[in-house]
Every structure is written in structure tokens, then in C-alpha cells.
Amino acid sequence: GENVEQHPSTLSVQEGDSAVIKCTYSDSASNYFPWYKQELGKGPQLIIDIRSNVGEKKDQRIAVTLNKTAKHFSLHITETQPEDSAVYFCAASRTGRRALTFGSGTRLQVQP
Amino acid sequence: DSGVTQTPKHLITATGQRVTLRCSPRSGDLSVYWYQQSLDQGLQFLIQYYNGEERAKGNILERFSAQQFPDLHSELNLSSLELGDSALYFCASSAGQGANEQYFGPGTRLTVT
């Protein structure tokens, strides 16, 4: 089955800096890659996603890039703010099996 | 607010007992997924239902079962509970069987003592 690896496990940045989280996947048939933000005591919140026919997608300060050949995708957060502090999860799924396989999570801390 | 609701928010019970977790999907969503989040295993897929029928199974123990009712709400039943079953249980919903985006509820925190 699919295996998703995520790193780093923790990331501390200064407010205003950029943060990058990287994931690799094993199943070449995977074609959907969402990113979730989980704040303490809450459920994962979908913040951005990308499909395999697209190389990059942006939404304000957040962007995701996908390299199908290398089977990795990344989350980029620019101009970080304290409210960006949370645990971020990458995930992957494919047509015919929409259940998500998650990475192990990255705890992002933005220092004011 | 994702529109997915889960009850109860917290549940404390003893080993050997049985509990039922409830999930109501977003209005109009036909698919419901259950996930378990534990410190050592991370977020793991348990089971998926689509319009009342089981569609996919993940790492779900035989002691666990689920169903989706005609009004599309779903219940996850956990029996013969063990200490290791203590975890957060999330349900997520999506528009259709082939739809990509999944929206998660706030979760139920289960503590087995």
C-alpha cells in the first residue's frame, strides 16, 4: 500500500519567515495530495490540495508543489504569522481508493 | 467549522466495555470515512461508507465495526475495549464516492482506563 513520509517533524521559524514542509509518497498511482492543518483540540482542516495533473498551486500565503517523477510534494508558507502555528499533515490518495494515507505530521511553531 | 459533527466530544470508559461514536456528515455528502489518531500510529484510516454501503477498509480491528444509516449519519462501534484503543477518532465526509476533498469533524477523544 501507499506510504507517505513527512519531514521535518518539528519546525521553528521567526514571524515573517517562510516555512517549507516536504513529503514523499511511494505509490505512483496516487493522484491527489491534500494538506491539513490541525490546531490543538481540533480536527484536521483542509488548507490546500493538488492533483497530479498540476505542478503548483497557490492560495494567498500558501503554495504546494508536486514533482511526480520524484514522487514528492511540498507545502510552502510565506510571511508566517503566529496563527500559523499548528501541526501540518500531508496526505495522498488515488482514484479507486479515496481513503487518505497521512504523513506523520510537522509541528510548526512561529515565534513572534 | 467544517460542517461535520461528532458526538460525544469526550468518552471515558473501562477496559472490556463497548462504546458508540456518532458522526453526521456535511449536508449533501454521501461518503463518510473514519480515522483513528494516536500518538504512536498517527492518523490511520479505519473504514469508509458511501450512501449506506461499506466501500473500503483500512486498519480496522475485528472488535470495531461501523455502519451508515439512511439519513447518512454514521456510527463507529468499539467493543472489548483495551487500553491501546485510547485515541482520537475522527470522521470525515466527502461529496461522493470518487470525490477527493475530505472534511473532518472535531473528533471524539476516547480514554480507556
Side-chain angles (χ1 to χ4, degrees):
Chain A
E2 174 68 279
N3 182 51
V4 177
E5 295 192 357
Q6 180 173 349
H7 61 94
S9 56
T10 60
L11 181 58
S12 182
V13 300
Q14 292 293 318
E15 182 177 358
D17 287 350
S18 295
V20 180
I21 303 171
K22 299 182 179 182
C23 289
T24 59
Y25 61 98
S26 62
D27 186 354
S28 56
S30 288
N31 57 6
Y32 175 67
F33 307 93
W35 286 88
Y36 286 85
K37 174 184 181 182
Q38 187 175 23
E39 296 174 299
L40 195 61
K42 296 186 177 181
Q45 175 194 0
L46 179 64
I47 56 172
I48 195 168
D49 57 15
I50 191 167
R51 287 159 177 77
S52 60
N53 58 347
V54 175
E56 182 175 1
K57 183 177 179 181
K58 282 181 110 172
D59 182 4
Q60 299 182 352
R61 297 185 297 108
I62 293 175
V64 57
T65 59
L66 171 65
N67 183 326
K68 283 191 298 182
T69 303
K71 290 192 282 188
H72 68 70
F73 56 111
S74 301
L75 178 71
H76 304 253
I77 306 174
T78 58
E79 300 172 21
T80 54
Q81 300 167 4
E83 51 265 39
D84 294 329
S85 296
V87 179
Y88 291 80
F89 292 94
C90 63
S93 70
R94 60 173 173 81
T95 304
R97 184 172 172 83
R98 285 296 169 208
L100 296 169
T101 300
F102 283 89
S104 54
T106 296
R107 183 173 300 277
L108 173 64
Q109 188 166 10
V110 180
Q111 307 282 356
Chain B
D1 184 0
S2 67
V4 178
T5 61
Q6 289 187 249
T7 57
K9 194 169 178 62
H10 301 280
L11 202 46
I12 302 174
T13 190
T15 54
Q17 295 299 304
R18 171 190 169 94
V19 296
T20 298
L21 282 52
R22 181 187 170 105
C23 166
S24 291
R26 295 186 317 158
S27 176
D29 282 359
L30 298 177
S31 270
V32 170
Y33 300 78
W34 286 96
Y35 292 87
Q36 180 193 58
Q37 185 175 37
S38 61
L39 282 174
D40 55 344
Q41 296 291 323
L43 267 162
Q44 293 216 318
F45 167 65
L46 296 178
I47 196 164
Q48 177 202 0
Y49 277 80
Y50 172 75
N51 203 22
E53 294 191 5
E54 181 186 304
R55 276 292 182 255
K57 266 187 170 179
N59 300 319
I60 188 165
L61 300 171
E62 284 191 12
R63 300 183 285 109
F64 296 0
S65 65
Q67 53 184 329
Q68 186 179 27
F69 295 86
D71 67 352
L72 301 176
H73 91 271
S74 178
E75 293 180 356
L76 179 67
N77 301 295
L78 315 176
S79 62
S80 303
L81 285 167
E82 302 176 358
L83 295 177
D85 298 327
S86 296
L88 277 164
Y89 292 85
F90 290 103
C91 113
S93 73
S94 68
Q97 187 176 358
N100 291 300
E101 297 86 352
Q102 292 182 31
Y103 298 91
F104 281 72
T108 293
R109 180 176 292 279
L110 174 66
T111 302
V112 183
T113 63

